[in-house]
Amino acid sequence: MLEYHNILVGLDGSELADKALKQAIEVAKRNHAKLFIAQIIPDEVSVSTSITYPASSLDAERKSTKLYLEEKAQEAKDQGVEEVQTIFKVGSPRRELAVTIPQEANIDLTIVGVSGKGAIEHLLIGSVAQFISIHSTTNVLLVK
């Protein structure tokens, strides 16, 4: 039976991301694996380059994201996952979850929901999950 040691779950605050986290917690517990809980805030607005955001709203987004990750990490620990690490980055969710974080953290399984919050972006350039399933350096579990 294949064992996983380092599991990455990508979150975006969506309902499917919560389902992906539940799956990740169960797989991590069964494998006594370390769980990495990540959220990547896109570093650019892909729908419109004319939109700008004040620095204060970006700071608020960063703070709320870090709090969200801490809550999810505590949830995993409360359910029996021994090792949990949060990852917060600003960048390309696709690239970070498919390649960069798996290489940096020696990830052997990536878990994501099949569709998250970015419906407009999904229509224009495809889903993050689709990109990860094609380009990931790890095994991938897509949660519906």
Side-chain angles (χ1 to χ4, degrees):
M1 178 181 206
L2 182 62
E3 287 188 18
Y4 296 107
H5 303 284
N6 296 302
I7 298 169
L8 170 64
V9 61
L11 303 182
D12 65 3
S14 69
E15 201 172 302
L16 274 174
D18 285 341
K19 288 176 80 172
L21 177 61
K22 287 179 184 176
Q23 288 284 328
I25 289 169
E26 291 306 314
V27 175
K29 288 187 328 189
R30 279 195 307 268
N31 287 271
H32 305 286
K34 183 171 184 178
L35 180 60
F36 294 81
I37 302 174
Q39 184 163 0
I40 315 303
I41 294 178
D43 58 358
E44 59 186 54
V45 178
S46 59
V47 176
S48 173
T49 56
S50 65
I51 298 173
T52 58
Y53 297 98
S56 61
S57 69
L58 291 176
D59 287 341
E61 177 75 13
R62 285 184 174 100
K63 287 178 185 174
S64 69
T65 299
K66 288 179 181 180
L67 181 61
Y68 169 75
L69 287 172
E70 289 170 12
E71 290 171 0
K72 297 303 179 180
Q74 189 59 53
E75 180 181 328
K77 290 176 185 175
D78 290 346
Q79 292 184 40
V81 179
E82 294 177 18
E83 287 187 79
V84 181
Q85 180 177 330
T86 61
I87 299 171
F88 168 73
K89 291 187 175 192
V90 175
S92 165
R94 289 169 173 75
R95 182 73 41 205
E96 292 292 336
L97 294 171
V99 179
T100 306
I101 295 170
Q103 289 176 347
E104 291 173 351
N106 197 27
I107 300 298
D108 42 31
L109 176 64
T110 301
I111 301 174
V112 292
V114 293
S115 179
K117 286 187 163 185
I120 293 173
E121 182 182 6
H122 172 75
L123 290 172
L124 295 176
I125 54 179
S127 75
V128 172
Q130 180 182 23
F131 183 92
I132 292 168
S133 70
I134 295 167
H135 299 284
S136 181
T137 59
T138 73
N139 286 339
V140 177
L141 173 60
L142 300 177
V143 177
K144 292 183 178 186

